[in-house]
Amino acid sequence: LVPLPRTRRAQLEVNQANIFLTASLLQTGLSLAESAHTTNMETYTTDDALTTMGFGKLQGLVLVYAGMGWVAEAMEVMLLSFVGPLIREEWKISAQDESLLSSVVFLGMLIGACGWGYVSDKYGRRTGLLFSTLFTTGMGFLSALSPNYLCLMALRFLVGVGLGGSHVYSSWFLEFVPAQNRGFWMIIFSFFWTIGTVLEASLAWIVVSTLTWRWLLALTAIPCFLLLPFFGITPESPRYLCAQNRMSDATLVLERIAETNQAALPPGVLVYPRDGEADHSGLTSEADHLLPLREKECTDDDVMSPKSGSAAALRSLLSRKLRRSTLLLWFVFYANSFAYYGLVLLTAQLSNANRSCASGLKYVKSETDTSLYKDTFVTSLAEIPGLIASAVLVEWFGRKATMWCLLFTCCGFLGPLVLYQSELWTTGLLFGARACAMGSYTVVCLYAPEVYPTSVRSTGVGIATAMGRVGGIICPLVAVGMLRSCHQMEAIIVFEVVLFLAAIACMLFPFETKGRAMN
């Protein structure tokens, strides 16, 4: 604008000129940020801000909070390995009913994964996290009071619905991490899952020998409950706020990050990048990338508003741009969940099934048999080298190559188990397979949020996670049902085929996301 002169008459003339210019800008529908752009004011995106500030204290707090969410889910999932045999022994249920108890939890997780992902895209990440955590905590404590098998199965199904929202923790956390650090910090984040599995194995080892399975259910629900008092200090995702065209709110969150990290924001005005900016393609001009999102330009592809429907989100996920990635992710999530949860259940069943089938006796678990807890504890520790291997590979070779390499290696570890092996050899092979399965599962959980735009990220990851829960529903029928009927070879072959096809699917992903900005 023209500098203010000294005379009053000249000052009035300049004021009139400024008013005329402001009115003209309003009439053309330009936002304040666009006005800044037309006057060559600097602009920056969320990725620019996070890259400039780096990974600091606030991201560390988000990491711990989201990590505790994964600890809670891991403990609830690992619980299925221990509570099934105890329920069968106390209530004299059949082996099929024991398997069904695990399957209904995964069925609930399937429904919850779709539902909570959609809620977090429409109403915010924090809203999805709060209500899924409240639901999981309440149903977890109530299930410890179940008077009979049917009531327990219904309440564990509802626990599964609440656990279905746990994928929002990973999406929420990754939206605070700079692009150059995402691979490393996602691996660190995944260590919380391993902590949960080891904690649950240790808890079961101690509690079951002194108390009852009801105490195990109640104590397992405590980590989820501990998240609630600290919810008030959690920030909303700045990427989500930008996608909702709430630029001032997003700026406040970024300023909070800068203050906590003792860093500075880039100079200029925060803008929301167009779809495709993250690809850095040359099809659009630099000016188009810098233009902020105007409210009238917010379509279903850009913003998931509260008025948007689930059909719009699904159309976006199956659009020509995302269809191939979406369909392949659905299968890879299915295969990874089938393999991972199947290996957890195999650990609990394989050694005892080997002994009983080799002797020609019907499988019976002894009350004093502690090998279940020992083997589960040992194989849970396998996740640590699996995470370390994936952390190295994902930075050297990228997401795609790491996934298919680990999946093929998992096939190699499972191969010898088509024949009966000694208990020590069985535990060693399952140790290696569990390490590879955990590494692959971690990388696909990193890859999926990087593929989808912010407006449908939680919905896309939620539906993909739901497809994984289908694998969780089916795997008890293979890992428990087939082993109890002494069909070990057939069970292992099923796992091998699923893992092999998943590795091929990883090779067919359309693009690599290593170092790619999240749009």
Side-chain angles (χ1 to χ4, degrees), residues 172-191:
W172 176 64
F173 168 65
L174 287 176
E175 289 178 346
F176 285 89
V177 181
Q180 70 271 21
N181 301 130
R182 268 201 313 268
F184 172 78
W185 285 110
M186 183 60 189
I187 303 300
I188 298 299
F189 174 69
S190 298
F191 268 101

Side-chain angles (χ1 to χ4, degrees), residues 38 58 80-81 105 168-169 190 197 428 443 470 493:
T38 60
L58 192 135
L80 303 176
S81 301
V105 175
V168 182
Y169 284 106
S190 298
T197 61
V443 179
V470 176
I493 289 174

Side-chain angles (χ1 to χ4, degrees), residues 214-362:
R214 296 182 186 275
W215 280 97
L216 183 60
L217 264 61
L219 293 173
T220 300
I222 289 179
C224 199
F225 172 76
L226 293 178
L227 292 170
L228 298 175
F230 301 98
F231 177 79
I233 64 174
T234 58
E236 182 56 272
S237 163
R239 294 183 189 275
Y240 168 80
L241 294 172
C242 283
Q244 294 292 317
N245 203 26
R246 295 165 56 184
M247 309 304 292
S248 58
D249 292 336
T251 302
L252 289 175
V253 173
L254 292 174
E255 289 174 350
R256 177 183 171 187
I257 296 174
E259 181 181 357
T260 306
N261 293 356
Q262 297 182 344
L265 285 172
V269 177
L270 176 64
V271 296
Y272 179 64
R274 302 284 189 191
D275 251 1
E277 179 184 357
D279 296 331
H280 303 292
S281 64
L283 299 178
T284 55
S285 68
E286 182 181 358
D288 287 338
H289 290 327
L290 293 177
L291 282 175
L293 185 70
R294 282 183 287 173
E295 190 171 344
K296 67 180 182 180
E297 294 172 337
C298 298
T299 63
D300 286 337
D301 292 333
D302 299 317
V303 176
M304 182 69 71
S305 69
K307 296 181 180 179
S308 301
S310 56
L314 189 59
R315 280 198 305 271
S316 178
L317 296 174
L318 295 177
S319 63
R320 184 174 60 180
K321 180 180 178 181
L322 296 173
R323 185 185 303 121
R324 181 176 172 184
S325 295
T326 295
L327 295 177
L328 287 172
L329 274 173
W330 286 356
F331 179 72
V332 172
F333 263 92
Y334 167 86
N336 272 279
S337 295
F338 183 92
Y340 178 81
Y341 296 125
L343 286 170
V344 171
L345 293 172
L346 278 176
T347 303
Q349 304 291 336
L350 199 53
S351 295
N352 289 308
N354 278 347
R355 289 195 297 267
S356 60
C357 292
S359 62
L361 299 174
K362 184 179 178 181

Side-chain angles (χ1 to χ4, degrees), residues 123-143:
Y123 303 106
R125 309 301 193 233
R126 295 177 76 247
T127 301
L129 292 176
L130 174 61
F131 286 100
S132 64
T133 302
L134 280 170
F135 197 83
T136 305
T137 302
M139 295 303 106
F141 283 122
L142 284 176
S143 64

Side-chain angles (χ1 to χ4, degrees), residues 9-213:
R9 180 180 178 83
Q11 183 178 353
L12 290 174
E13 290 176 355
V14 171
N15 289 341
Q16 290 175 351
N18 289 342
I19 293 171
F20 177 78
L21 177 59
T22 302
S24 299
L25 291 174
L26 292 174
Q27 287 174 357
T28 56
L30 291 175
S31 66
L32 178 61
E34 287 174 300
S35 302
H37 176 64
T38 60
T39 57
N40 296 322
M41 181 180 288
E42 293 185 77
T43 59
Y44 65 91
T45 64
T46 308
D47 267 312
D48 296 332
L50 293 174
T51 300
T52 300
M53 293 183 291
F55 193 100
K57 292 181 181 179
L58 192 135
Q59 283 96 337
L61 294 174
V62 173
L63 169 65
V64 172
Y65 191 88
M68 281 301 299
W70 265 34
V71 168
E73 183 190 5
M75 292 182 70
E76 293 286 0
V77 170
M78 284 296 296
L79 175 67
L80 303 176
S81 301
F82 308 114
V83 75
L86 298 173
I87 294 298
R88 183 186 184 194
E89 184 177 336
E90 179 174 331
W91 286 340
K92 309 303 179 184
I93 60 175
S94 64
Q96 290 74 19
D97 288 337
E98 180 188 345
S99 301
L100 187 60
L101 185 61
S102 297
S103 295
V104 296
V105 175
F106 287 106
L107 177 61
M109 294 172 78
L110 184 156
I111 297 170
C114 297
W116 296 120
Y118 180 64
V119 167
S120 66
D121 275 337
K122 286 186 66 175
Y123 303 106
R125 309 301 193 233
R126 295 177 76 247
T127 301
L129 292 176
L130 174 61
F131 286 100
S132 64
T133 302
L134 280 170
F135 197 83
T136 305
T137 302
M139 295 303 106
F141 283 122
L142 284 176
S143 64
L145 305 175
S146 301
N148 52 54
Y149 170 75
L150 289 178
C151 183
L152 176 65
M153 188 168 62
L155 288 171
R156 295 313 293 179
F157 167 79
L158 295 176
V159 169
V161 173
L163 289 173
S166 60
H167 68 86
V168 182
Y169 284 106
S170 60
S171 297
W172 176 64
F173 168 65
L174 287 176
E175 289 178 346
F176 285 89
V177 181
Q180 70 271 21
N181 301 130
R182 268 201 313 268
F184 172 78
W185 285 110
M186 183 60 189
I187 303 300
I188 298 299
F189 174 69
S190 298
F191 268 101
F192 285 92
W193 180 280
T194 301
I195 292 171
T197 61
V198 174
L199 276 177
E200 186 64 23
S202 305
L203 184 66
W205 200 343
I206 296 170
V207 170
V208 172
S209 60
T210 57
L211 301 170
T212 66
W213 59 266

